[in-house]
Structure formats: C-alpha cells, structure tokens
Amino acid sequence: MYLRHFSLREAPFSITPDPAFFFPHDGAQAALNTLLVALRSGEGFLKIVGEVGCGKTVLCRQLLKTLQSECVTAYIPNPDMGPDDLLLALARELNVELTAPHSRYQMLDALRACLLQHAEAGRKVVVCIDEAQAIPLRTVESLRLLSNLETEKQKLLQLVMLGQPELDERLARPEIRQLLQRITFSEYLGPMAARSVPAYLQHRLATAALDELTDVKLFDAAAARALSRYSGGVPRLVNVLAHKSLMLVYGENGRRVKVRHVRMAAADTPGVQMQPSWWQRLRAGWARQDAGKALARDTSRDTAWQDTQPLHDFEVRQPEGRL
C-alpha cells in the first residue's frame, strides 16, 4: 500500500462514510445548515434528497456528531422493513425496554413514555433514517404515527429522512400525501462544483496525514481538473479515482499525480464516462465545420444549376406520331 510512501496515517480516499473526512463544500454545508437550524428550532419532519454517491450518509453522520452533545440521537441505516419492525428498531436505538409480545400499540406507548421523559428533561430526540427511498409503502404509516407523537407545545420526535431522488417519487404518491404535508424543510444534495475538487483532495490528504511534514498537494492542478471532469464532482467517484491514481504513482515510485494517471484510473473505473481530450474535441469541431461547409456548397451548387436550366428542359415531351 502507498501510505508509507506518501507519509499518510490512513487511507485518504476510502469510500467509508467517516465524518472525520466531511468536507463542507457549498451543497453539503447548505444542507447541514438547513438541518441544524430546523432541528434546533423544533421542526418535526425534514428531508434530504441527493444523487448516488453525493455524500448523504457522511452528511447524516456529521449531523449526528454535531448534535451529540445537545440531543438524543438515533440512526436507522436500512429502513427496508415492515411497519412493526421499524418501530422495534427505533425502540432499540432509544434503549426502550419492551416485553413480548411486541404489539404495535405497546411499542408506540412505550416510545411515547420514553420521549416524554426526554422532553421533561429538556432533551430533544432526533432520528435519522438513511436510504429512505427503500421504505416500503406499508411502513410509511409507522412514520406518520411517529410524527403524531407530540405535546401541546412541541414535537416529541424529530425525523430526518435522507434518500435518493426516488424518495420524492415515493412521497408524491396520493396514498401517502399526509406524510408529505408534514415535511417542513427539504434540501437537495448534489455533486461538488469543479472549483471545490482541488480543495477536497487536499482536505482528505491533510486529514489522513501522518504529521505536518506530509505533502498534501499530491495532485497537480491539471490532474485535479481532469479528476473533476471525469468524476462529475460526485464525491464517491472522486475518491475512487484519486485512490487509483495514487496507486499508479506509487507503482512508478513517483511523487505527483499527473493527468495521465487520472486518465488511466478513469478508464479502469465502471460508471465513469471517458470524455475526449481538448485536442480530440477541437478536431471533432473542425470536422463538423468542414462537413457543414461541404453541405452548404453542394446545396448552393444544386440550386444554381436548377436556376440556370431552361424551363423546357424540365417539360415532358410527347413523342411525335407518324402519319
């Protein structure tokens, strides 16, 4: 592995959602700020929608880490379960003691009692549901029942759903419109802007650095731009391409990532659309221009030829009959 070669303490571009590597680019910081302001003001139901690989899970864990000292938090990473199973998972996350058999009424009653205790002690309870697009429709009713847990003054439970764009499609279904109406704040998490990618690379390297002498500028400017272009700014793809690029440099016993390393990494990575170089794009543009000019010349020539022909040349002549 290349850790010792580059003086790194740990892998800087792992795709594991470690909040220590959270990078507050424009979209991520806006989403985090929206969640923090809404939760601290007592809003009950929030939603974050983001494309695949854009950092929803690491955002969720960064949110839980930030709220750790001021709220009671729970995390449900996979909500693809039945209605009662979701209530049971939440009860276990909140350390609610249940006695068998676990009826829905019993679980809701025990959860309400637990939440009332936290409210009386001045503690808010925040539950984050990741991959929320996987929630079965029959389980959505449990979420609606949870959103009903409140006093005359405040919500007893604050729910944050994070999911892929399919979550919006699911919530738009008419049979669950009651749940959609309860969502007070929503934010979209998209890819990073191209200008953020160089800073993102340095941030990850600095976080994984062995000490202050570690070089965190391993990617030259052109390589960083190429990496941004091939990844489309999607953090997961940035990590995959950066990791492969470092492996290539290490294999050459080098110290700097160049454009050719990024290009080779992109060619080896499924899901990356290889884009032509500037020279290839320029040549393609010239070819299109030449083809357009040739077509214009042919059209002009045909029109001029038709305009110069005598009209009788285009008339159908009848053969002369014999006597």
Side-chain angles (χ1 to χ4, degrees):
M1 195 57 177
Y2 54 71
L3 298 185
R4 181 178 298 180
H5 181 76
F6 294 113
S7 298
L8 298 169
R9 185 186 68 259
E10 58 182 314
F13 297 107
S14 170
I15 60 174
T16 302
D18 186 349
F21 287 93
F22 175 75
F23 179 71
H25 64 87
D26 293 346
Q29 190 61 56
L32 181 60
N33 290 343
T34 297
L35 291 175
L36 291 174
V37 171
L39 290 172
R40 286 167 177 166
S41 63
E43 300 295 338
F45 221 113
L46 313 172
K47 172 172 66 72
I48 298 291
V49 168
E51 299 292 342
V52 175
C54 283
K56 296 182 297 296
T57 300
V58 72
L59 172 67
C60 179
R61 295 191 178 182
Q62 178 65 23
L63 173 68
L64 295 174
K65 179 181 177 182
T66 304
L67 296 174
Q68 185 175 343
S69 60
E70 54 185 288
C71 298
V72 176
T73 60
Y75 176 59
I76 298 179
N78 180 20
D80 185 10
M81 57 184 77
D84 295 342
D85 291 334
L86 181 63
L87 295 176
L88 182 59
L90 179 56
R92 289 177 176 172
E93 279 287 306
L94 296 175
N95 298 317
V96 177
E97 294 185 3
L98 298 172
T99 56
H102 303 142
S103 68
R104 183 177 303 185
Y105 173 80
Q106 179 193 20
M107 287 188 286
L108 283 171
D109 190 58
L111 281 169
R112 180 178 176 81
C114 172
L115 295 174
L116 280 172
Q117 290 179 0
H118 286 304
E120 291 171 357
R123 295 187 295 266
K124 294 180 180 181
V125 179
V126 176
V127 177
C128 290
I129 302 177
D130 205 357
E131 301 296 341
Q133 79 281 348
I135 299 177
L137 286 178
R138 69 183 188 279
T139 306
V140 172
E141 177 64 13
S142 292
L143 293 181
R144 190 185 67 81
L145 293 175
L146 289 173
S147 68
N148 286 336
L149 297 176
E150 58 188 358
T151 65
E152 295 179 353
K153 298 291 185 181
Q154 69 182 65
K155 290 285 186 182
L156 293 178
L157 184 67
Q158 295 175 280
L159 287 167
V160 179
M161 292 194 303
L162 302 99
Q164 297 171 17
E166 291 82 1
L167 175 60
D168 280 336
E169 299 175 8
R170 186 171 292 270
L171 292 174
R173 296 176 67 101
E175 59 266 37
I176 57 174
R177 62 186 181 277
Q178 290 183 345
L179 183 64
L180 180 62
Q181 293 174 356
R182 295 169 188 263
I183 299 174
T184 54
F185 282 88
S186 179
E187 191 73 38
Y188 174 76
L189 181 62
M192 291 184 289
R195 65 179 183 276
S196 298
V197 173
Y200 175 83
L201 297 171
Q202 290 189 29
H203 167 77
R204 302 279 305 199
L205 288 166
T207 303
L210 184 62
D211 51 43
E212 64 276 5
L213 297 179
T214 299
D215 184 2
V216 298
K217 296 182 179 180
L218 298 178
F219 294 79
D220 67 23
R225 288 194 298 270
L227 203 152
S228 173
R229 185 172 68 251
Y230 286 123
S231 67
V234 176
R236 183 180 297 164
L237 286 179
V238 172
N239 289 355
V240 170
L241 294 178
H243 171 64
K244 289 184 176 181
S245 298
L246 289 179
M247 291 183 66
L248 290 169
V249 176
Y250 171 67
E252 297 174 357
N253 198 31
R255 292 292 175 179
R256 283 287 183 278
V257 177
K258 305 293 184 180
V259 172
R260 61 185 179 85
H261 300 122
V262 177
R263 190 175 296 122
M264 286 189 290
D268 184 61
T269 303
V272 172
Q273 294 184 353
M274 294 296 293
Q275 300 180 4
S277 65
W278 68 269
W279 173 244
Q280 291 172 323
R281 294 196 299 271
L282 187 60
R283 292 184 62 183
W286 288 343
R288 286 193 297 269
Q289 290 179 2
D290 291 342
K293 291 177 181 178
L295 180 61
R297 285 196 301 270
D298 292 343
T299 303
S300 177
R301 187 182 302 114
D302 291 343
T303 302
W305 180 82
Q306 292 176 4
D307 290 344
T308 58
Q309 299 307 304
L311 184 60
H312 62 78
D313 286 351
F314 294 94
E315 295 177 349
V316 178
R317 297 181 179 180
Q318 299 293 332
E320 296 180 357
R322 296 183 178 179
L323 293 177

